[in-house]
Amino acid sequence: ELTSETEQGARRRVRTLGKAQRDGETTTQITGAIQDVTDQHRDRRLKEVQSGFFEHIATGGGIDAVLDDIARFTEEELSGARVAILRREGDRLYPVAGPSLSEDHVAALDDTKVGPEAGPCGTAVHRAQREGPEAIQEDDRRKPVREVAEREGFRSCSTKAIEGSDETVLG
């Protein structure tokens, strides 16, 4: 199995089976098949991640380890995406997961204010909804993280509030 990319840029997981015909050291022909197993691979990975959640909980690993697993799985599934998860504490947000973000980027997200014009993360939490995607260069709410985001090649950002079962916004 290997990961392949379509002409449209979508990542697909494929299984290959083939036989090479050789003339000495030279491969002259390959006969075989390629099967798209993206859905089966995703299902298998989701079960692995879910099992990891339960293991973290059972061993006292804590919610931060679970959130890091969720961020990593999401990045795997969304080609090219980088994920940060911020936890709400009162009127502030603090990063708890950001597996592909630099230390500078995580630091820029630390102690984010929650409010109607507090940046995309703080605004999404304040409104309990999704914000974006917006171009980083065009959205003035992104000024606190713009420099580090541009340096790391970010072009846009989308943010979604995370709600608990009682509809309280957690992050």
Side-chain angles (χ1 to χ4, degrees), residues 50-160:
Q50 287 172 334
S51 177
F53 297 164
F54 295 126
E55 184 175 330
H56 287 306
I57 292 166
T59 60
I63 189 68
D64 290 358
V66 172
L67 294 173
D68 188 67
D69 283 353
I70 291 170
R72 289 177 190 282
F73 178 75
T74 304
E75 287 183 347
E76 286 176 19
E77 291 302 308
L78 301 175
S79 180
R82 288 182 267 177
V83 175
I85 299 177
L86 287 73
R87 178 188 321 218
R88 182 180 192 171
E89 293 180 19
D91 68 345
R92 299 287 187 196
L93 297 171
Y94 301 92
V96 293
S100 296
L101 299 180
S102 70
E103 288 180 21
D104 289 344
H105 203 138
V106 172
L109 293 170
D110 195 29
D111 198 27
T112 298
K113 185 178 182 209
V114 173
E117 296 298 323
C121 296
T123 302
V125 168
H126 175 76
R127 295 180 182 165
Q129 64 184 28
R130 182 173 186 259
E131 292 289 315
E134 301 291 338
I136 289 170
Q137 296 79 6
E138 297 171 13
D139 187 345
D140 286 338
R141 295 174 303 154
R142 287 179 166 67
K143 281 183 183 178
V145 297
R146 182 176 289 152
E147 182 181 323
V148 69
E150 287 178 347
R151 187 171 59 240
E152 294 180 16
F154 283 78
R155 293 186 305 262
S156 65
C157 176
S158 182
T159 308
K160 175 150 183 7

